[in-house]
Amino acid sequence: MKATHFGAGNIGRGFIGEILHENGFAIDFVDINETIIDALRKRNSYEIELAAQEKTHITVDQVTGLNNQKEPDAVIDSVATSDIITTAIGPNVLPIIAELIAKGIQKRRQEGNQTPTDVIACENMIGGSQILLEKVRTYLTEEDLTYVENTVGFPNAAVDRIVPIQQHEDPLFVSVEPFCEWLVDDTQSKAKQIRLDNVGYVSDLAPYIERKLFSVNTGHATTAYTGAHYNYQTIGEAIADERVLNQLKAVLKETGDLLINKWDFPREKHEQYIEKIVERFKNPYISDDVSRVARTPIRKLGYDERFIRPIREAKTYGLSYQALVDVVAMILQYDEPSDEESVRLQEMLKEKDLTEVIQDVTGLTDNTIIEEIVEKAGSN
Ligand SMILES: NC(=O)c1ccc[n+]([C@@H]2O[C@H](COP(=O)([O-])OP(=O)(O)OC[C@H]3O[C@@H](n4cnc5c(N)ncnc54)[C@H](O)[C@@H]3O)[C@@H](O)[C@H]2O)c1
Ligand SMILES: O=P(O)(O)OC[C@@H](O)[C@@H](O)[C@H](O)[C@H](O)CO
């Protein structure tokens, strides 16, 4: 069995690689990072360490690397011959790799491969695989589209494991938190012959992806942007400050109330889920940079993303969302020179009126919410 995985970065090597490996897959990692690709090619294996007192090690072997910029044909061949295709490359990069995935699918069809497969986007976003499918479609013929309809699934997924930026002598070594969860929408899967161990196949992903994105990621981002507001460099330092912890708890109360109302999660169970998340953020064996968790602030301010969507929905349920608005105001102030989106956001704020920037970046049309954000941002 073989997998093609796009994105040999932190979560790609630190989680998706582990699961595919333990399920018996050889893995072609596709990336543009030459150091990582060369090392994968040379060594065909790498080590994962669990960031806990015991420091358990896992060896992932039968792996190699392909550079999509330098050897696109090899990537197309890999997609054409793999049993499963996965990505963990970042939502902004999905449109860039869509053409190669499309050409790989086209080649599968031309070679008469009728075995169903799945393309699973393991990104922090709602509807990631289906959004990728929309991009892939634009490169396909009618004949290819019929083939996709019959044999290629694009099941949405939710993946959860904190994997910080890695700074080791070995470029492939990756230290990860012990906790992990990977859920796939079974109704969108076509490769029914492949059921991965330690992956949950669910009949409705919506409650799970919303619970993950609006608890883990909204909470993580809250810790990061509030931490940046108080000049902290790491999540561990930030969460040790009561002001940050209180902001985190207030935000998770708001998204928790929304999730409980919307999806009927039992309150007690949800509170336990939140407690566990807060403990995960405090993991003393992990050092996670505020700048990683706060990365790409324009993306994180998106209409369906971790702040604006819960704000919009909390309002329709008549629930409080003021703590979320507080964080949105802090994101607008987030000034990190190494982050292209932060730089762009700060330039936009210099060139345009605040209301206009909020409308452009968030896609919001609700004037009440926009005014609440403007008022909060103005008072910071
Ligand atoms: N790190 C985590 O804790 C975590 C957990 C769950 C989900 N995710 C999600 O997984 C995705 C990847 O996150 P990450 O933390 O692993 O990021 P990362 O930066 O470590 O990995 C992304 C990889 O994609 C590669 N890449 C970028 N542009 C490319 C291109 N044009 N072509 C080929 N490769 C390209 C980079 O070189 C890098 O190796 C994101 O969507 C993120 O939200 C991350
Ligand atoms: O990857 P992002 O930029 O969407 O979000 C940053 C972190 O919150 C995220 O990577 C978490 O570590 C991860 O989602 C935990 O499962």
Side-chain angles (χ1 to χ4, degrees), residues 105-353:
I105 290 172
Q106 188 168 56
K107 192 159 185 186
R108 285 178 95 84
R109 178 186 65 73
Q110 286 165 346
E111 287 176 351
N113 184 345
Q114 291 300 326
T115 309
T117 190
D118 282 332
V119 180
I120 311 177
C122 304
E123 317 286 348
N124 283 334
M125 65 196 289
I126 290 175
S129 305
Q130 290 290 306
I131 289 171
L132 174 60
L133 169 60
E134 289 315 305
K135 299 286 173 199
V136 167
R137 264 183 208 288
T138 63
Y139 299 100
L140 296 177
T141 64
E142 281 304 315
E143 216 176 336
D144 298 330
L145 288 170
T146 306
Y147 175 80
V148 167
E149 194 59 39
N150 295 327
T151 50
V152 188
F154 282 75
N156 290 326
V159 288
D160 191 5
R161 170 174 262 179
I162 296 173
V163 189
I165 288 171
Q166 306 293 312
Q167 279 153 337
H168 316 284
E169 207 176 308
D170 174 353
L172 298 181
F173 184 85
V174 54
S175 170
V176 305
E177 69 164 337
F179 177 89
C180 60
E181 184 176 63
W182 182 359
L183 299 174
V184 172
D185 189 324
D186 200 21
T187 64
Q188 297 164 328
S189 160
K190 295 220 165 76
K192 301 284 186 194
Q193 76 283 11
I194 299 174
R195 293 295 87 164
L196 298 170
D197 283 348
N198 291 325
V199 171
Y201 292 85
V202 296
S203 56
D204 182 8
L205 187 73
Y208 299 103
I209 181 71
E210 291 190 19
R211 181 176 66 171
K212 193 268 168 171
L213 202 62
F214 303 149
S215 309
V216 179
N217 295 109
T218 308
H220 218 187
T222 295
T223 311
Y225 293 114
T226 315
H229 181 77
Y230 293 118
N231 293 316
Y232 292 113
Q233 302 298 313
T234 67
I235 294 296
E237 286 163 10
I239 205 168
D241 184 322
E242 286 263 301
R243 295 168 298 180
V244 178
L245 185 62
N246 289 339
Q247 186 67 37
L248 169 63
K249 287 184 176 165
V251 160
L252 291 182
K253 170 84 173 69
E254 287 181 353
T255 58
D257 286 346
L258 170 64
L259 291 162
I260 289 164
N261 266 274
K262 184 172 177 186
W263 296 112
D264 277 338
F265 289 120
R267 182 167 289 277
E268 203 183 328
K269 260 194 145 177
H270 191 74
E271 280 167 2
Q272 286 165 3
Y273 180 74
I274 287 175
E275 271 169 39
K276 168 123 191 166
I277 290 169
V278 175
E279 287 316 304
R280 290 170 60 200
F281 294 169
K282 289 180 179 169
N283 183 343
Y285 301 98
I286 276 185
S287 177
D288 204 358
D289 291 348
V290 159
S291 61
R292 181 191 81 84
V293 180
R295 66 186 167 192
T296 53
I298 294 179
R299 167 171 66 94
K300 290 191 167 93
L301 284 174
Y303 193 68
D304 272 326
E305 264 286 342
R306 57 206 78 183
F307 291 98
I308 302 305
R309 177 139 165 188
I311 288 174
R312 291 191 289 113
E313 293 191 350
K315 184 165 180 263
T316 63
Y317 279 85
L319 296 166
S320 164
Y321 54 87
Q322 290 315 308
L324 285 156
V325 167
D326 291 345
V327 183
V328 170
M330 285 190 257
I331 306 180
L332 289 165
Q333 289 184 326
Y334 180 65
D335 191 356
E336 171 52 56
S338 68
D339 189 311
E340 263 179 51
E341 286 196 11
S342 165
V343 172
R344 199 169 355 127
L345 184 58
Q346 292 311 313
E347 277 167 7
M348 286 167 81
L349 286 163
K350 279 184 204 132
E351 287 159 10
K352 290 187 203 169
D353 175 63

